[in-house]
């Protein structure tokens, strides 16, 4: 998992505190109200997002659905 987002302060999330990484390792859903993602052209877009981990029949987390929202009017 390589974080592609950036904090508003313009630096990448350290993996240990990346909300997606944390959700995948704890299995807990998370919401992030203020973050920034970097586009392929290098521009940055403010986002809000929700992370919903999901598991297999044994209960092991095998992935997550990440729903992004652009909070701009």
């Amino acid at each position: 998992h390589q974080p592609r987002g950036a904090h508003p302060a313009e630096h990448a999330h350290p993996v240990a505190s990346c909300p997606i990484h944390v959700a995948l390792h704890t299995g807990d859903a998370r919401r992030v109200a203020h973050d920034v993602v970097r586009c392929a052209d290098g521009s940055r877009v403010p986002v809000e997002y929700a992370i919903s981990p999901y598991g297999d029949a044994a209960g092991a987390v095998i992935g997550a659905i990440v729903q992004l929202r652009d909070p701009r009017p």
Side-chain angles (χ1 to χ4, degrees):
H1 164 68
Q2 289 295 319
R4 292 184 51 91
H7 287 288
E10 304 293 317
H11 62 282
H13 283 291
V15 172
S17 65
C18 170
I20 296 170
H21 178 82
V22 172
L24 286 169
H25 286 274
T26 65
D28 296 329
R30 301 178 66 87
R31 289 192 177 275
V32 177
H34 303 286
D35 208 341
V36 177
V37 295
R38 188 175 324 136
C39 298
D41 67 3
S43 63
R44 299 181 190 282
V45 177
V47 294
E48 298 173 353
Y49 56 98
I51 306 133
S52 301
Y54 59 89
D56 62 15
V61 174
I62 59 171
I65 297 169
V66 180
Q67 180 183 20
L68 294 167
R69 180 181 171 290
D70 183 345
R72 298 174 296 180

